[in-house]
Amino acid sequence: MLHAEPGTGSAFDPASGFVRLMDGLAADPGDVVVTKTSRNAFTTTNLAQHLQRPGRPIS
């Protein structure tokens, strides 16, 4: 899960280049990488739907 605040100019703005998986980590094909834009990961993402899918890997 990533946290992003687009357009803020902060470290969490994707344009800063800091919103990415940590060095040494990579999503495998078929993995889900969720990017949230609020403190609550369920309000601005489709995380709940991914968690309810049987057999679906989450990163």
Side-chain angles (χ1 to χ4, degrees), residues 29-54:
D31 282 354
V32 175
V33 177
V34 175
T35 302
K36 65 186 186 77
T37 57
S38 70
R39 291 181 181 164
N40 185 332
F42 293 98
T43 59
T44 60
T45 69
N46 57 356
L47 178 60
Q49 291 82 1
H50 286 293
L51 292 174
Q52 293 171 356
R53 287 178 153 175

Side-chain angles (χ1 to χ4, degrees), residues 2 4-6 10 12 17 22-24 28 30 34 36 42 47 51-52 57 59:
L2 302 173
E5 296 174 3
S10 73
F12 294 107
M22 292 175 28
D23 291 341
D28 289 330
V34 175
K36 65 186 186 77
F42 293 98
L47 178 60
L51 292 174
Q52 293 171 356
S59 293

